[in-house]
Structures are given as C-alpha cells and as structure tokens.
C-alpha cells in the first residue's frame, strides 16, 4: 500500500527519470506527453487522487498512441534534432541517422557543415530517416515512435500498475469500437 504522506510525484521523481527525457534528441511530442503525465502525478495526495491519476494517465497515453497511429501529430513534433559534430565527409564506416538525413539535404543543394542541427524523422523506407523538411506524415515509421514511447513510459506505468502493452490494447479496442 502507498504511503500518501509524500506525493506520488515526488516519490517518482526521487527515482531516476527516464534518460530519454533528458536527451535533447527526444521528440517534442514525447517530452510533452511525459511532462503532462508528471503534472497529473503531482496532484496525487491520497488513494482517490491516485486512482484518478491512473485513469487520467492511461487516457493521456491512449490518446497519444491513437494520435500517433492516425498520423495526427505534426511531423516537426516527431523530429530528432542532432548537431553535426563534423562535416559529412568526416564520417566513415557506419553512418549515423542524422548524417543520413544530412546527406539527403545535401543532395538537394543545402550546404551542411559541422555545428548544424539536423532535424529528422524515422521513416518506413530506406534509409529509414528523412529530414523533417522533406518528410510526409504517411512516411513516418509509427512503430519506431511507439518503441520510444514505451521505453520512456515503462517505469512510470509499472509504478502505476499497468503496462504499455495495456495502453496499446486499449488503443486497439478504441479504434475497433469507433
């Protein structure tokens, strides 16, 4: 049983927040959703608050997953933003994703240099990334973003007594009945 003398939020934040949240490369929509969930937890002071928070967070995540699956999240909110540590020609061997996206921009005539921020999204077709400026919603690899969401929310959901798979199942049922 929970000791509600310390808000659930503080108990959760006292642990380690997911490292993805601190990563500047994490897509904005995931950060926004996570902070909304933390805000909900910040209002928990007793058992009834806890049950309400569980339901609200499940609803928030179900809605987010549904929006992602329906491609309702703007492409720019899905972007990973990575700085070029060196020029494109300086990369050899395995090519990082941001460099693959930078090469696509370079082919379009854009000059890319060390220090530039490359904003890209994960796509379903090779090279599996595309600069935000060239990407269309239908090209987004929704499954990759769901994997990131799961990694980010697993710890929180475990503390709340349900799993990301339950969220995915709720979303599937919602889509079935709508």
């Amino acid at each position: 049983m929970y000791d509600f003398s310390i808000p659930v939020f503080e108990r959760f934040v006292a642990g380690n927040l997911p490292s993805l949240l601190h990563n500047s490369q994490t897509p904005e929509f995931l950060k926004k959703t996570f902070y909304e969930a933390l805000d909900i937890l910040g209002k928990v002071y007793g058992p009834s608050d806890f049950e309400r928070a569980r339901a609200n967070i499940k609803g928030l995540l179900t809605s987010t997953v549904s929006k992602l699956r329906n491609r309702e999240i703007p492409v720019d909110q899905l972007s990973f933003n990575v700085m070029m540590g060196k020029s494109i020609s300086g990369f050899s061997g395995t090519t990082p994703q941001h460099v693959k996206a930078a090469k696509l921009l370079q082919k379009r005539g854009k000059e890319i240099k060390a220090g530039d921020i490359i904003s890209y999204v994960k796509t379903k077709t090779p090279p599996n990334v595309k600069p935000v400026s060239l990407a269309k919603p239908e090209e987004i690899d929704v499954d990759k973003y769901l994997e990131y969401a799961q990694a980010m929310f697993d710890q929180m959901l475990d503390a709340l007594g349900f799993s990301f798979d339950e969220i995915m199942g709720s979303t599937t049922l919602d889509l079935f009945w709508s």
Side-chain angles (χ1 to χ4, degrees), residues 85-112:
K86 51 190 169 186
S87 68
I88 291 175
S89 62
F91 288 90
S92 60
T94 304
T95 307
Q97 293 183 331
H98 69 290
V99 176
K100 290 177 185 179
K103 286 181 177 182
L104 292 172
L105 288 170
Q106 191 177 51
K107 284 181 184 175
R108 295 259 181 151
K110 183 166 171 50
E111 181 185 348
I112 306 294

Side-chain angles (χ1 to χ4, degrees), residues 125-141:
T125 55
N128 297 47
V129 297
K130 206 167 204 183
V132 169
S133 60
L134 304 177
K136 296 180 180 125
E138 60 271 13
E139 297 174 298
I140 300 300
D141 186 343

Side-chain angles (χ1 to χ4, degrees), residues 41-77:
L41 284 176
K43 297 173 182 145
V44 173
Y45 290 94
S48 63
D49 295 336
F50 183 72
E51 290 307 314
R52 187 172 30 258
R54 285 183 80 235
N56 289 344
I57 289 171
K58 187 172 185 178
L60 171 68
L61 293 179
T62 300
S63 172
T64 298
V65 167
S66 181
K67 287 177 184 175
L68 186 56
R69 285 182 170 161
N70 293 327
R71 301 175 192 288
E72 296 170 2
I73 298 173
V75 173
D76 66 316
Q77 292 290 306

